[in-house]
Amino acid sequence: MSILFSPDSEQIWQRKWNEAKLFESNLNGDKPKFYCLEMYPYPSGKMHMGHVRNYSIGDAVARYKRMMGFDVLYPMGFDSFGMPAENAAIKENAHPHEITERNMASITDQIKRMGFSYDWKRQVKSHDPRYYRWNQWFFTKFMEMGLATQQFAPVNWCSQCETVLANEQVKAGRCWRCNGPVSQEEMNQWFLDIPSYAQELVDGLDTIDFPENVKALQRDWIGRSEGAEITFAIEGREEEIKVFTTRPDTLFGTTFVTLAPEHPLAGSLVKGTPQEEAWQHLYDEVSAMSEFDRIKNMNKKRGVPLGVHAIHPLTGERIPIWAGNFVIASYGTGAVMAVPGHDERDFDFAKSYDIPIRRVLVMKEGADADAELKRAESDFGWMVNSPIEGFDGLYGDEAKSAVINALTAKNAGSQTINWKIRPWLVSRQRYWGTPIPVIHCGSCGAVPVPEADLPVELPRDVTFGEGNPLETSASFLAADCPTCGEEGRRETDTMDTFVDSSWYFLRFTDPLNDELCFDSAKANQWMNVDFYCGGIEHAQMHLIYARFWTKALRDLGLHDIDEPFNELLCQGMVNMAAPWCESCGLTFTVDLAGAPCPQCNAVLGERSAKMSKSTGNTVSPEDMIEQYGADTVRLFILFAANPTAGMDWSDTALEANYKVMMQLYSMPERMQSWDGPAGPMDVWFEGRLKQRVEEFQSAMDVYDLRRAVELSHYELVKDVNWYTRRGGNNAEIASKILRHWAHMLSISTPHIAEEWWAVLGMDGLISGAEMPQLDPISPAEQTALDGETTTRSFLENARKIKDVAERHLDGPATSATIIVAPTWKRELAVTALEFLEQGGNPKQFIGVLSKMEIAQGERKGEIMGFWGKKMLPQVFKWDDESRILIRSTLDEVESLRLRSSFIAEELGLSTVHVVLGESEDDDTGRAGGAMPLSPSVVYA
RNA sequence: GCAGGGGUGGCUGAGGUGGUCAAAGGCGCCGGGCUUAAGAUCCGGUCCCGUACGGGUUCGUGGGUUCGUAUCCCACCCCCUGCACCA
């Protein structure tokens, strides 16, 4: 009975899995749990190859863990709030809700067609009030904790998206979503205080298994820097200037203080003075610039003196105050103490404005303290020229603490840690998100909506395209103050959709609960996520927000988990060739293939580029599944590259994998039609199976899916071929092999595995079955494995030599004598191996050798030479397996004699003799080249 | 500039705790078996030289350590990713 692939048959199995509720997760307590998760997808209407790759990886892991006896939680849901749906709604004159539901239905069908083993009963979707009511509930709790606050502050505004953005969402000064320009606007906005968790977010990285680059990205983004906050008094004024510095040891070199032009003090200091105009000019220029342009222009350092002086906190010296375009208002305190002698940026500035440069450090101990500074010397150094006793000569951390101590004593500064990460700006002026549950009251201010009134649902009576849609809904806006009952106005901002993905993994542990966000016992049992798979692009946004949110919910007492994700795997990109101009270094859209470069007219070549709609180098998963089936697509995608590496889509490689699948489809029929008796190769095959299962498991345990698939779909086929080639023909062994093999197939190509399972007459579905344990490899099996391995390597060698030999013989060889290395060589090898194993130096072995019995007598010189020239290099070349073999009882002569007819057949010879070198049987005189495990051959 | 990751045979891509490495697997190419034939499958080959199992040259470049290095150390070049006048 041959099994043929048909797309329908795959769907039949999917229905059966569904009916059997195989993938519904229930903790039953006696099995270990495993939580496997892929990053919450946005429901675009179509599944793309990136999805296919992501889910093929996750599904293989989930299926493997299930097969190994874990209780697996493997859910799927949709991050269904967000601007694409809203923008599409505006374009199509439809409603985001309908568009989202439509897209979700369509992508769900496509995902299901791949046969992934999700527990669909747990599906979560962000735009469901049953879900987002908890966003609102958390928000009100955060308000109580003081974690969520409303502030009037300069924020990033994207005019194309008509909304504000968090800092993380501004990439190179442009909007992460639409790449439009981002400007600074002062607005009243909601913030979540991530910096209060910054230290924990940094420390937590040491406890989880994230790739190094992701950890580096996060550390970078969180941006911890240790230093001091120093207060400068202002001459003749009440106000003070606070600066942050990482180099308090250079405090005595401060020759000016610079404020960001937007610093509130800057304006007030110059008000009504002759400097006001110049400052205003700088302010206008800087604030009108997009951040992108501003950063670009920062290398042209410019500033204006404010005509006011600060007082050095330790020396009392008068120091001019400047406003400078290179100081960023939102980092640190928005003010810096400028030390031109030891800071490059300050040096540049001082040079162009002729401000004194003072040396207060020398880079070599005892160096000339008055040497001129030709450039900023910004490394650590020894303090010099300190106007106060007790500092000169101090270095690095010691110097820093001395200055900080002096400042602390004068109440003019303290040691602080500054974070680059800033509060998460969560309000958005868009419709398709979670309404922020706040009512603004004239007398009570911003009042959280009481729990009983949640969820605050999105109204339908809104108009799109005229600013914030929620402001157009009269019914939504009207709300009485929950505290005093006065007429209030509802908050019209919605939450950043990254809120939705910040805790969905917790909701999955208890998704249908309408009383609680989740039951804490369930969350504690399932969490954290053991294996989390998704794209690297979320390294700083989602993966920081989710870690923060998890900790915040923990502090609300909702669960006990510190980190949401244990092991993170970032899958590589799916690439495909696209037109590319070598000289311009540009990639073009596929419609330009074959055309000349639009920039330079050169002939366009090809280069692999990320599959993307805009380039047009895409392949539709739907078409591929239709043509080749889900199993083939999955096999290709897992086999083409390691999960973390980029992979190139290749139609020919896909075809090749399809052939493999076809071959595997016919495998049960082929193997079950064997009709021979039990034979010596059966022992080998059983041992081989055990080896393969073991290799497969160790590959899967470290998520080396490529290797696992190689074993299950390629190596075992080769093993079958070897078995039959060596005369194996026993149907009984076939069934045993196939049963275990089916399990290995099932993690990546589950549909064919079910076909096999059925053909083998097994009960139930393999997707719900655990893989049975195999006994350890027996001594007999090991001997068989060794025998075949050595025979195989012998054949490889003998074939090579045969060519050369036949040129010698002037005709085809008809017989061969195999000369096994004489026993003294093996003895030598064994002794040398033992010597080295005990830590002996190879150079010293010659001393041991000269005392050995085999090295006495007239052959001594020959044998000593043999050691140095032949045996010494060889001793190191043997792998562990060979070393064991050499020291085992393996009888090489016997082992080869057993297989001599096979060897003869393989080499096309009529007779093959096996002799022990230098024995009476050996009349060849050619034992010289033979080595243990590597006999010589003489053809005749 | 700083941080992280890389540079391997015609292509792709493993390995990288020094000896199992002339270097897995896949693709491509060549030869053989099967077949009326093609395809598929199976077997073998695929750095160079060599009339007998040997020699030579290779893992970005140049040095070094070692009995031995693709693998370790140093310097340099190039590519990717992120951050970036961050105080």
Side-chain angles (χ1 to χ4, degrees):
Chain A
M1 155 177 45
S2 182
I3 321 165
L4 284 174
F5 161 71
S6 86
D8 294 342
S9 70
E10 288 190 340
Q11 281 163 296
I12 289 168
W13 293 114
Q14 289 161 14
R15 266 199 299 281
K16 289 191 177 172
W17 296 333
N18 201 26
E19 282 157 14
K21 299 186 181 356
L22 280 188
F23 309 131
E24 289 184 11
S25 323
N26 296 300
L27 269 182
N28 65 20
D30 53 352
K31 290 179 177 183
K33 71 93 186 176
F34 192 88
Y35 190 171
C36 181
L37 187 65
E38 292 133 13
M39 286 182 188
Y40 204 34
Y42 181 82
S44 52
K46 281 193 182 281
M47 178 175 67
H48 55 69
M49 278 303 169
H51 292 126
V52 174
R53 188 166 189 201
N54 193 178
Y55 309 154
S56 297
I57 294 166
D59 189 53
V61 171
R63 285 178 180 271
Y64 173 68
K65 291 293 174 179
R66 233 178 257 124
M67 175 171 106
M68 297 306 287
F70 287 80
D71 257 339
V72 172
L73 175 58
Y74 184 46
M76 174 49 81
F78 293 102
D79 192 8
S80 51
F81 267 143
M83 291 212 313
E86 189 169 342
N87 292 341
I90 295 168
K91 215 162 140 190
E92 295 176 33
N93 200 19
H95 193 279
H97 187 271
E98 272 75 65
I99 290 180
T100 300
E101 288 287 339
R102 190 183 70 204
N103 283 345
M104 269 180 50
S106 124
I107 195 170
T108 302
D109 278 350
Q110 294 176 31
I111 291 174
K112 287 189 170 171
R113 180 61 191 81
M114 288 296 294
F116 300 127
S117 60
Y118 297 119
D119 179 356
W120 284 102
K121 239 178 77 184
R122 289 177 183 257
Q123 183 178 343
V124 158
K125 44 184 183 177
S126 300
H127 74 287
D128 184 347
R130 284 176 69 190
Y131 182 74
Y132 72 68
R133 67 174 291 185
W134 299 110
N135 291 348
Q136 297 175 333
W137 185 75
F138 296 142
F139 194 89
T140 61
K141 293 289 159 195
F142 289 169
M143 285 173 76
E144 284 170 25
M145 286 166 86
L147 204 56
T149 52
Q150 196 177 24
Q151 284 168 37
F152 189 72
V155 293
N156 307 301
W157 173 263
C158 172
S159 50
Q160 280 183 37
C161 294
E162 295 191 303
T163 185
V164 298
L165 300 168
N167 288 313
E168 295 79 7
Q169 294 164 5
V170 181
K171 298 284 163 186
R174 307 191 85 85
C175 172
W176 72 292
R177 190 178 276 292
C178 73
N179 204 30
V182 172
S183 59
Q184 298 290 304
E185 304 278 334
E186 304 238 348
M187 291 173 84
N188 212 13
Q189 295 289 302
W190 288 96
F191 292 89
L192 297 182
D193 189 13
I194 287 194
S196 65
Y197 282 86
Q199 187 66 55
E200 219 197 313
L201 287 169
V202 173
D203 293 342
L205 290 173
D206 296 329
T207 68
I208 50 181
D209 232 333
F210 280 22
E212 273 315 308
N213 58 337
V214 174
K215 288 187 182 184
L217 243 43
Q218 294 216 346
R219 286 198 189 97
D220 221 20
W221 194 264
I222 297 166
R224 184 182 199 273
S225 57
E226 277 179 35
E229 193 168 272
I230 301 176
T231 309
F232 285 73
I234 304 172
E235 190 180 52
R237 309 275 301 207
E238 289 291 299
E239 300 100 319
E240 302 175 318
I241 297 173
K242 284 189 190 306
V243 304
F244 174 76
T245 180
T246 54
R247 295 297 300 275
D249 55 320
T250 64
L251 176 61
F252 292 124
T254 308
T255 54
F256 60 108
V257 167
T258 315
L259 304 180
E262 309 94 313
H263 195 290
L265 265 179
S268 73
L269 287 178
V270 293
K271 197 150 186 69
T273 72
Q275 284 77 24
E276 182 170 5
E277 200 190 324
W279 164 77
Q280 188 69 47
H281 195 74
L282 183 71
Y283 176 89
D284 291 346
E285 189 185 291
V286 159
S287 58
M289 249 186 232
S290 71
E291 193 172 336
F292 183 71
D293 290 332
R294 188 167 167 189
I295 288 168
K296 233 171 60 184
N297 281 309
M298 269 190 197
N299 54 357
K300 298 175 199 123
K301 285 179 195 54
R302 285 185 306 102
V304 292
L306 300 181
V308 189
H309 287 79
I311 306 297
H312 192 289
L314 293 183
T315 66
E317 196 183 349
R318 294 174 75 237
I319 294 169
I321 304 174
W322 289 67
N325 67 338
F326 61 89
V327 181
I328 300 164
S330 51
Y331 184 78
T333 59
V336 298
M337 61 176 222
V339 185
H342 304 285
D343 180 283
E344 261 175 61
R345 182 197 51 201
D346 297 341
F347 186 88
D348 287 355
F349 191 83
K351 275 283 173 195
S352 44
Y353 288 99
D354 222 12
I355 302 171
I357 296 169
R358 190 177 297 165
R359 175 187 286 283
V360 293
L361 296 176
V362 287
M363 297 298 118
K364 282 195 180 131
E365 194 163 15
D368 180 8
D370 298 319
E372 196 197 341
L373 284 154
K374 296 205 172 62
R375 51 172 189 86
E377 294 182 1
S378 51
D379 293 338
F380 283 134
W382 286 263
M383 288 179 80
V384 291
N385 301 329
S386 310
I388 301 175
E389 284 288 306
F391 291 99
D392 280 359
L394 298 179
Y395 176 89
D397 286 338
E398 215 185 336
K400 286 184 186 180
S401 347
V403 173
I404 291 169
N405 288 341
L407 288 165
T408 314
K410 285 199 148 189
N411 208 17
S414 59
Q415 183 161 17
T416 52
I417 291 163
N418 189 60
W419 300 97
K420 195 175 81 168
I421 194 167
R422 284 171 253 170
W424 177 11
L425 167 52
V426 285
S427 27
R428 295 288 178 274
Q429 292 68 47
R430 298 291 297 218
Y431 171 78
W432 197 229
T434 306
I436 290 178
V438 165
I439 294 164
H440 295 281
C441 167
S443 11
C444 307
V447 181
V449 173
E451 188 171 349
D453 296 342
L454 297 178
V456 177
E457 290 202 38
L458 279 171
R460 298 296 291 250
D461 58 337
V462 292
T463 313
F464 292 108
E466 300 170 9
N468 185 342
L470 285 179
E471 285 176 359
T472 66
S473 167
S475 63
F476 181 79
L477 284 174
D480 293 339
C481 171
T483 311
C484 69
E486 253 179 60
E487 194 179 309
R489 184 179 188 273
R490 210 177 273 286
E491 170 67 62
T492 53
D493 284 354
T494 51
M495 295 181 202
D496 183 356
T497 54
F498 276 106
V499 167
D500 307 317
S501 51
S502 290
W503 71 285
Y504 75 106
F505 42 87
L506 284 159
R507 182 70 179 172
F508 274 141
T509 65
D510 190 15
L512 305 175
N513 197 332
D514 284 325
E515 306 303 314
L516 295 168
C517 49
F518 47 82
D519 179 89
S520 60
K522 288 182 180 167
N524 287 337
Q525 279 179 348
W526 279 118
M527 288 291 284
N528 55 14
V529 175
D530 295 278
F531 180 80
Y532 195 41
C533 180
I536 184 80
E537 67 275 14
H538 289 115
Q540 40 299 61
M541 294 191 276
H542 162 59
L543 287 170
I544 287 188
Y545 297 143
R547 293 181 59 222
F548 156 71
W549 204 278
T550 301
K551 292 170 193 296
L553 297 194
R554 176 203 60 198
D555 291 346
L556 279 172
L558 297 172
H559 63 73
D560 305 330
I561 307 300
D562 293 324
E563 287 287 343
F565 315 117
N566 182 38
E567 175 140 11
L568 173 70
L569 185 143
C570 291
Q571 99 235 29
M573 290 192 176
V574 184
N575 304 312
M576 187 158 151
W580 152 262
C581 176
E582 178 94 47
S583 46
C584 304
L586 292 171
T587 302
F588 295 98
T589 53
V590 286
D591 50 277
L592 285 171
C597 171
Q599 305 270 322
C600 70
N601 234 7
V603 181
L604 286 183
E606 274 197 336
R607 195 197 212 194
S608 133
K610 183 190 176 180
M611 259 193 198
S612 81
K613 240 188 251 173
S614 51
T615 315
N617 58 339
T618 56
V619 170
S620 149
E622 269 183 293
D623 295 351
M624 295 298 124
I625 297 164
E626 172 93 14
Q627 202 176 342
Y628 298 103
D631 276 352
T632 301
V633 174
R634 289 162 66 135
L635 174 64
F636 164 65
I637 228 155
L638 293 177
F639 186 60
N642 277 330
T644 54
M647 62 168 279
D648 286 337
W649 183 270
S650 149
D651 289 337
T652 48
L654 183 74
E655 294 251 13
N657 283 286
Y658 184 63
K659 287 178 203 161
V660 171
M661 288 304 297
M662 289 303 105
Q663 195 183 355
L664 286 171
Y665 266 104
S666 62
M667 194 59 79
E669 187 193 19
R670 174 175 160 200
M671 288 172 67
Q672 287 181 322
S673 68
W674 289 341
D675 56 2
M681 281 307 285
D682 297 356
V683 181
W684 174 84
F685 208 0
E686 284 206 50
R688 191 58 151 181
L689 175 73
K690 290 174 184 177
Q691 267 184 343
R692 293 308 191 197
V693 168
E694 207 179 292
E695 288 175 294
F696 179 81
Q697 288 181 3
S698 29
M700 279 309 296
D701 286 340
V702 295
Y703 309 120
D704 186 352
L705 302 188
R706 216 200 76 85
R707 176 66 187 150
V709 164
E710 186 174 359
L711 287 159
S712 58
H713 289 70
Y714 289 82
E715 302 285 11
L716 273 160
V717 174
K718 290 184 197 163
D719 293 335
V720 171
N721 289 335
W722 182 256
Y723 173 78
T724 51
R725 188 170 154 201
R726 294 282 288 111
N729 195 19
N730 178 4
E732 217 168 293
I733 196 87
S735 304
K736 183 165 183 186
I737 303 281
L738 285 166
R739 263 203 309 280
H740 285 88
W741 190 356
H743 277 105
M744 288 189 263
L745 291 181
S746 76
I747 68 129
S748 50
T749 53
H751 307 92
I752 190 179
E754 296 291 358
E755 302 281 357
W756 277 31
W757 204 241
V759 169
L760 292 170
M762 302 299 288
D763 288 336
L765 295 158
I766 193 170
S767 299
E770 288 179 23
M771 181 151 79
Q773 287 272 325
L774 286 164
D775 297 330
I777 293 172
S778 71
E781 286 163 353
Q782 191 60 55
T783 306
L785 287 167
D786 294 341
E788 294 303 306
T789 307
T790 47
T791 303
R792 222 173 164 159
S793 74
F794 167 76
L795 276 174
E796 229 166 83
N797 197 29
R799 268 195 206 100
K800 278 183 201 155
I801 297 154
K802 194 176 170 221
D803 274 351
V804 191
E806 283 179 343
R807 267 175 271 171
H808 240 180
L809 293 171
D810 283 333
T814 55
S815 71
T817 308
I818 300 172
I819 305 108
V820 170
T823 40
W824 66 265
K825 286 189 186 172
R826 184 128 170 221
E827 206 177 307
L828 173 57
V830 169
T831 314
L833 285 171
E834 269 163 13
F835 176 79
L836 292 168
E837 214 156 85
Q838 285 158 18
N841 184 318
K843 279 175 169 173
Q844 260 119 52
F845 183 72
I846 198 90
V848 178
L849 174 59
S850 62
K851 293 194 191 89
M852 284 177 71
E853 205 178 311
I854 53 167
Q856 309 309 318
E858 59 184 28
R859 294 187 70 185
K860 182 162 188 163
E862 182 201 340
I863 286 171
M864 301 297 258
F866 179 82
W867 160 253
K869 192 150 186 294
K870 307 283 285 190
M871 189 58 96
L872 174 64
Q874 184 56 50
V875 147
F876 291 105
K877 284 192 177 177
W878 282 314
D879 57 21
D880 290 344
E881 209 184 321
S882 308
R883 289 176 191 206
I884 292 168
L885 266 180
I886 287 167
R887 297 166 69 178
S888 74
T889 53
L890 171 83
D891 184 336
E892 280 191 72
V893 176
E894 182 60 24
S895 174
L896 286 165
R897 272 187 191 150
L898 264 175
R899 295 172 173 86
S900 59
S901 59
F902 171 68
I903 291 169
E905 189 187 326
E906 285 290 313
L907 296 175
L909 304 167
S910 53
T911 50
V912 165
H913 295 293
V914 184
V915 299
L916 180 65
E918 297 176 7
S919 68
E920 297 124 44
D921 299 339
D922 178 16
D923 52 10
T924 62
R926 301 284 278 280
M931 291 292 274
L933 302 186
S934 177
S936 291
V937 197
V938 175
Y939 288 96

